[in-house]
Amino acid sequence: MISLLALFSLTLALALPAGDGDSSPSAASSVTTPSVEGRFPPGAAAAVPRQARFTSNRIVVEVRAPRTVDPDRPVRDVILIPGLASTSLVWEPVAERLSQTARVHLVSVRGFGELGAGANGRGLVAGPVAAEVARYIRTRRMRAPAVIGHSMGGQIALRLASTPDIELGRIMIVDAAPFFPSLIDDRATGQDLEPIAAVAYQAVLFLGDDALARQPWAEGMGSTSQALEAWVGWQGGDARVLAQSLYEVMTVDLRPNLARIDVPVTVVYGWSRREDSPRYQLQSSWRQAYRGLPRPARLVPIEGAEHMVMIDQPVRFMAAVDEFLGAP
């Protein structure tokens, strides 16, 4: 039906920041079957007072709030969720700007960057992490927070928005699809990707973040690695968490969740006007990827950006965020 190699190459190029290495990772001959996701796990806790202390063995949350608050105007809550192999550092300029008027909740996933793996070091990652973010929302008794998620974080935002007992205000998905392979072939399934995803799992498991940092499969897709390296460094993380997260990004299909999302959805993605660019060729695929939403997603292409949109085009990205939040 599709070329698995082509699908794998473009999926990885879309899902991760590209590196500049020149050798490919080698997979072990025996493949350990990684965990594959089923249904979204339920949230774990009932609401407790807003001031309650929140601790988690899956996520770390930093809160930044305005220094001065207008007592006649409620402060908006904005949750920022990073992508695979990233921490909240990728949101630094965005958080600095937003925290002047909003209460910003910076999420980091344990096992990414220098954070210890915690409970993410065994079993599933994305679903349980989403459940923890949901528990955090309940614990803080947030009312209709806005959620902005990049890549894997965008998929976590989709999980949150499709959870019945979580009330969000709106979500912004940054360069992420409910099922990444569908951007290349709408007929693709997680089963199609499973064999090669299992090999990728082993490559990352044995080579760790070096397997992701090299990324020879991203050649020709463009790279933000130099900007990322200069800004926050290659963040990488725990090999087990990286491997499992990559496997889930490649094989878990969240398109069935879209029908349960009743909040406004904005999708921001990197775009190029060059007709020979994969970014140009995927233009129509973004709307197709989100066609299952009850109300159409608002699509915002950011010219000149690749996967790390907020780093590649910070001014254009911030303008999109302002419009998303309803800023003047």
Side-chain angles (χ1 to χ4, degrees):
M1 182 176 70
I2 55 176
S3 167
L4 285 182
L5 182 58
L7 194 55
F8 171 68
S9 299
L10 196 49
T11 297
L12 267 294
L14 286 167
L16 297 163
D20 57 2
D22 57 3
S23 58
S24 60
S26 58
S29 56
S30 60
V31 177
T32 302
T33 303
S35 303
V36 61
E37 290 202 309
R39 301 174 65 183
F40 177 74
V48 294
R50 185 182 182 86
Q51 292 77 18
R53 184 167 179 260
F54 177 87
T55 58
S56 172
N57 58 6
R58 291 191 180 274
I59 63 173
V60 173
V61 185
E62 176 192 353
V63 182
R64 300 186 191 177
R67 294 181 179 178
T68 59
V69 177
D70 183 348
D72 297 325
R73 177 177 296 181
V75 178
R76 179 195 296 271
D77 287 295
V78 181
I79 301 172
L80 302 178
I81 308 175
L84 177 60
S86 297
T87 69
S88 62
L89 283 173
V90 299
W91 295 117
E92 187 58 35
V94 177
E96 181 67 21
R97 164 78 176 279
L98 291 181
S99 63
Q100 296 175 19
T101 56
R103 185 183 300 108
V104 180
H105 307 262
L106 288 154
V107 175
S108 289
V109 176
R110 292 191 182 276
F112 293 166
E114 296 182 357
L115 292 173
N120 294 332
R122 57 186 181 276
L124 306 176
V125 176
V129 164
E132 280 296 88
V133 177
R135 184 171 72 87
Y136 177 77
I137 293 172
R138 296 189 197 97
T139 299
R140 299 303 184 196
R141 290 188 172 178
M142 293 185 201
R143 294 183 178 180
V147 179
I148 303 176
H150 172 250
S151 193
M152 175 178 153
Q155 294 185 328
I156 290 173
L158 290 174
R159 293 173 183 271
L160 291 171
S162 62
T163 303
D165 60 343
I166 292 295
E167 182 182 351
L168 303 182
R170 62 194 69 184
I171 63 173
M172 173 184 278
I173 310 300
V174 183
D175 216 70
F179 184 49
F180 274 108
S182 70
L183 293 174
I184 299 100
D185 190 324
D186 190 54
R187 300 166 298 172
T189 67
Q191 188 175 8
D192 292 327
L193 268 290
E194 200 284 330
I196 201 161
V199 174
Y201 175 93
Q202 285 297 310
V204 177
L205 189 64
F206 284 100
L207 296 179
D209 54 26
D210 187 53
L212 295 178
R214 295 178 183 181
Q215 287 191 56
W217 48 72
E219 183 178 357
M221 286 295 296
S223 171
T224 59
S225 62
Q226 292 180 347
L228 188 62
E229 183 69 26
W231 187 0
V232 297
W234 173 248
Q235 293 179 267
D238 178 270
R240 170 61 182 77
V241 181
L242 293 174
Q244 178 63 29
S245 299
L246 175 59
Y247 182 88
E248 293 173 18
V249 164
M250 294 179 67
T251 59
V252 175
D253 189 348
L254 297 177
R255 286 176 293 184
N257 293 41
L258 297 180
R260 302 196 300 272
I261 297 177
D262 60 1
V263 299
V265 177
T266 297
V267 181
V268 177
Y269 55 93
W271 180 73
S272 172
R273 65 175 64 250
R274 289 175 41 223
E275 295 186 6
D276 62 342
S277 167
R279 288 281 169 180
Y280 176 88
Q281 295 166 8
L282 290 176
Q283 176 74 3
S284 62
S285 298
W286 290 101
R287 188 171 300 280
Q288 182 79 355
Y290 286 91
R291 71 184 186 279
L293 289 169
R295 63 174 107 175
R298 181 172 177 271
L299 302 181
V300 183
I302 303 290
E303 185 176 359
E306 295 288 340
H307 186 55
M308 303 295 289
V309 183
M310 57 282 200
I311 295 179
D312 292 339
Q313 294 292 334
V315 175
R316 292 177 179 175
F317 179 75
M318 200 64 232
V321 171
D322 286 342
E323 187 171 359
F324 163 72
L325 294 175

